Amino acid sequence: MEPSAQPEVLPPPPLSSVSIYELSFGTVAGICSGVFIKKGAKAMAFFLGGIFVLLQYLVSFSVIRVDWVKMGGRFENLFYTTDATGRKKSPTLYSLFKWIVDFLTADFQPRASFVAGLALGLRLG
């Protein structure tokens, strides 16, 4: 018999590249924060969507009158930023993520592992 006729035995593939036993405090804090943010964003969207539907319902029966232009202006004043030229810039997902990471990692040393955990928590949550 030829030695190459026997099938080569390969080791089993790894189960995961992340070992649960080797997670750092920053990673765990990031995962928990990510899950909290995602669940909170869903609850806030549900709550604000319900308020919008209620307002539109009341407007349809002429119970109240909503000035949506003024509401849009308040939103812009609260969330838009002004660049060096004086132009207003709308928020982006990147600017929101950057603000959240800067806010959550102020005076927090394991920033890199926290950001990785935050991304994982946002994915899992």
Side-chain angles (χ1 to χ4, degrees), residues 52-68:
F52 176 76
V53 169
L54 177 65
L55 288 174
Q56 289 296 85
Y57 178 76
L58 294 174
V59 166
S60 71
F61 286 106
S62 299
V63 175
I64 62 171
R65 184 183 162 289
V66 179
D67 187 359
W68 290 114

Side-chain angles (χ1 to χ4, degrees), residues 40-119:
K42 285 181 180 180
M44 187 184 309
F46 179 81
F47 179 71
L48 292 176
I51 289 174
F52 176 76
V53 169
L54 177 65
L55 288 174
Q56 289 296 85
Y57 178 76
L58 294 174
V59 166
S60 71
F61 286 106
S62 299
V63 175
I64 62 171
R65 184 183 162 289
V66 179
D67 187 359
W68 290 114
V69 174
K70 189 173 182 180
M71 292 290 284
R74 285 187 175 191
F75 176 84
E76 285 182 13
N77 289 340
L78 189 60
F79 293 108
Y80 280 43
T81 57
T82 307
D83 63 4
T85 63
R87 238 180 37 197
K88 285 192 170 190
K89 291 175 57 176
S90 61
T92 61
L93 284 177
Y94 173 73
S95 66
L96 178 64
F97 185 75
K98 186 177 179 313
W99 180 84
I100 287 172
V101 168
D102 289 343
F103 174 75
L104 292 176
T105 58
D107 297 331
F108 191 69
Q109 289 302 317
R111 183 179 176 115
S113 62
F114 177 86
V115 172
L118 180 67

